[in-house]
Amino acid sequence: MNRKSAAKAPPDEPRMSRTADHVDAFNLAVTTGDWDTFADRFAADATMRFVGVPVGPFEGRAAIAAAYRENPPGETMVLLEDGDERARFRWSGGGTGSMELRWAPDGAVQALTVSFD
């Protein structure tokens, strides 16, 4: 699976960051309910945890997919600060938070930590 943005930017245009691509895929899953395709973005042995929320941690792609299917987020997000390993976001319904991402060599998400403000 190609973990980069499907549409390549022309050489004179900036490419979408991995984090922005991840957020776009998340937003698509929110609107379509296709959490299995979204979970494919994670490494097989990935971890996902939340700070200050009594849920998780989740270990492994299958557990991450199940968590999203069983308790799907209902809001999309917009990046406020786009960094490759740290990013800030705003939920469509209000509220902000941050993500810390680690990437596997193939571009899959190896670890995701989400904190809410």
Side-chain angles (χ1 to χ4, degrees):
M1 175 176 137
N2 182 358
R3 300 203 191 283
K4 295 185 170 66
S5 179
K8 294 197 178 214
D12 57 337
E13 291 183 27
R15 295 183 190 273
M16 180 179 285
S17 74
R18 294 188 290 187
T19 302
D21 190 48
H22 184 75
V23 168
D24 281 354
F26 172 86
N27 289 341
L28 182 62
V30 170
T31 60
T32 65
D34 186 359
W35 293 105
D36 289 328
T37 298
F38 177 70
D40 284 344
R41 302 179 59 75
F42 289 82
D45 61 346
T47 60
M48 181 174 74
R49 66 185 200 95
F50 296 88
V51 176
V53 179
V55 63
F58 303 100
E59 303 210 8
R61 183 187 304 131
I64 292 167
Y68 277 118
R69 280 192 314 272
E70 292 166 11
N71 191 20
E75 295 181 47
T76 59
M77 63 172 65
V78 174
L79 282 175
L80 300 174
E81 296 173 21
D82 181 1
D84 193 50
E85 294 182 357
R86 293 183 64 87
R88 295 208 28 84
F89 64 87
R90 182 183 72 244
W91 292 110
S92 58
T96 57
S98 62
M99 295 184 286
E100 293 181 30
L101 299 113
R102 272 189 325 157
W103 304 95
D106 69 353
V109 176
Q110 185 66 55
L112 172 63
T113 301
V114 180
S115 302
F116 302 99
D117 297 334

